[in-house]
Amino acid sequence: MKISIITPCFNAEQYIEETIESVIFQRGDFDIEYIIIDNLSADNTEKIVNYYINLHKENKLKINCNNLEIKYIRETDNGLYDALAKGFEIITGDIIAYINADDYYLPNSFKTITNIFKSNKKLKWLNGLSVSYNEDGSIIGIWPLPTIKRKHIQYGFFGNIYYHIQQESCFWRKELLNKIDMNIFRKYKYAGDYYLWKSFAEENNIYTVHSALSGFRHRENQLSSVCFDKYKEEFNQIKENSSFFDKIEAVILNFYWKISEGKHYITKKRFSHIYYDMHNKIWKMYKKPK
């Protein structure tokens, strides 16, 4: 089985070394195709990438998988999803994912996902536990997602009523990209990840793995924080319309999931917080139904 990973980057010298090593040093019975797409970085990104490429050419990298290919594309692009589209158009792997140049995979992530995909031929895509890193790369939070309904992804409930589906922890079979119109995908500037999830969910359920695979690094001035309003604007353009009762169902399911998740440490204060969160969401929908 071959895993194809894409990293789009621009002026990523601060973190990209950690990202690269988290991909190329994965251990297990699989091949890795790693594609780095650089939008003509003006810092030391090119130097760092070429350092690992040259080590690999000289057989000085200790590789823990069956085979490793590193491809470096350095050319101008029109943003994150244009860069990813370039990668998606040339990948050759069976399992696909992408990770940005300030995040990293946890050890044995690829071993976990290949074992799952091999044992379940009908499985098309999966995600792991949501993990948060601080700026130094230390894990500061881990939480599970509820059982995910396809229609709730299509309605945009993940990121509103539920937690977001964490892009860094998503892997899928290559065939799902046949559903993606790359001309549409590459035009997005902020919410292209949700366009992928919604397209995948139109026919395929996502499987949640109770294992930490990767995570999201919180740092100052990152695109997802600075441009959150623009992300939501694109997100709302992509999602399908849902009824008031669809929203009620999601809020109630989320309430019971949170209670179930916390059954071993639930307190009166925590229960009240969860209850009033549910109450407030329902009240807002009642006042301003869409």
Side-chain angles (χ1 to χ4, degrees):
M1 180 171 283
K2 181 188 284 188
I3 302 174
S4 292
I5 305 294
I6 303 170
T7 292
C9 61
F10 176 68
N11 290 345
E13 65 179 6
Q14 185 174 1
Y15 300 112
I16 196 170
E17 186 171 8
E18 187 173 20
T19 306
I20 292 172
E21 291 189 353
S22 79
V23 175
I24 65 177
F25 293 141
Q26 288 286 323
R27 184 184 302 272
D29 180 20
F30 45 77
D31 298 344
I32 297 174
E33 176 184 54
Y34 189 30
I35 303 173
I36 302 171
I37 303 178
D38 180 6
N39 185 18
L40 300 180
S41 293
D43 62 0
N44 288 318
T45 297
E46 181 182 17
K47 182 179 179 180
I48 294 169
V49 174
N50 281 326
Y51 170 76
Y52 286 95
I53 290 174
N54 291 332
L55 282 181
H56 187 42
K57 287 180 179 178
E58 297 167 5
N59 294 317
K60 293 181 179 179
L61 283 179
K62 184 180 178 182
I63 301 305
N64 301 308
C65 62
N66 297 334
N67 186 59
L68 170 67
E69 299 174 74
I70 306 176
K71 301 175 182 178
Y72 184 38
I73 300 173
R74 179 176 163 82
E75 61 185 30
T76 186
D77 60 55
N78 292 317
L80 169 62
Y81 300 111
D82 181 43
L84 284 172
K86 293 179 182 181
F88 289 156
E89 288 169 347
I90 64 172
I91 51 173
T92 61
D94 307 294
I95 306 301
I96 315 301
Y98 74 92
I99 189 163
N100 293 318
D102 55 354
D103 296 315
Y104 61 89
Y105 290 113
L106 293 168
N108 295 315
S109 296
F110 293 5
K111 182 186 292 185
T112 299
I113 65 108
T114 52
N115 287 340
I116 293 171
F117 276 112
K118 285 179 180 177
S119 63
N120 190 338
K121 303 298 183 182
K122 294 183 179 180
L123 178 67
K124 301 300 182 183
W125 63 310
L126 61 77
N127 74 319
L129 301 175
S130 289
V131 177
S132 291
Y133 309 134
N134 64 15
E135 197 155 352
D136 292 329
S138 299
I139 295 175
I140 56 175
I142 301 178
W143 60 93
L145 284 173
T147 300
I148 300 176
K149 289 191 173 187
R150 284 168 44 197
K151 67 177 183 178
H152 288 180
I153 297 174
Q154 294 170 273
Y155 293 156
F157 293 165
F158 285 86
N160 289 315
I161 296 173
Y162 304 113
Y163 296 131
H164 283 279
I165 295 174
Q166 191 171 79
Q167 165 264 308
E168 297 82 5
S169 298
C170 277
F171 295 80
W172 62 89
R173 294 191 190 271
K174 182 183 179 183
E175 64 198 67
L176 290 190
L177 290 179
N178 295 332
K179 289 184 58 61
I180 303 303
D181 185 327
M182 290 299 169
N183 291 325
I184 294 176
F185 176 69
R186 68 198 331 140
K187 290 179 181 178
Y188 288 114
K189 299 298 181 184
Y190 308 100
D193 58 339
Y194 178 58
Y195 174 72
L196 291 177
W197 313 152
K198 179 181 175 295
S199 299
F200 294 169
E202 288 174 359
E203 296 180 6
N204 302 279
N205 290 315
I206 187 172
Y207 178 76
T208 298
V209 180
H210 292 280
S211 176
L213 305 175
S214 182
F216 176 78
R217 189 190 302 263
H218 294 270
R219 57 186 180 84
E220 292 184 1
N221 299 320
Q222 59 194 151
L223 183 66
S224 57
S225 298
V226 175
C227 302
F228 182 73
D229 289 342
K230 294 180 180 178
Y231 177 90
K232 292 299 293 184
E233 183 179 345
E234 282 193 357
F235 183 95
N236 290 331
Q237 291 171 0
I238 297 168
K239 71 177 185 179
E240 294 183 10
N241 292 327
S242 57
S243 71
F244 175 72
F245 294 104
D246 290 323
K247 296 184 180 76
I248 290 292
E249 178 192 33
V251 170
I252 293 173
L253 287 175
N254 192 45
F255 170 75
Y256 282 108
W257 170 75
K258 285 185 175 181
I259 296 299
S260 175
E261 175 203 2
K263 62 185 177 183
H264 298 300
Y265 58 91
I266 198 73
T267 63
K268 184 177 180 180
K269 182 176 180 180
R270 174 175 165 79
F271 180 87
S272 297
H273 174 77
I274 295 171
Y275 173 80
Y276 283 112
D277 178 64
M278 177 187 72
H279 177 273
N280 289 336
K281 285 178 178 176
I282 292 176
W283 177 249
K284 287 179 181 178
M285 288 187 293
Y286 175 75
K287 295 293 286 185
K288 297 180 180 180
K290 294 184 179 179

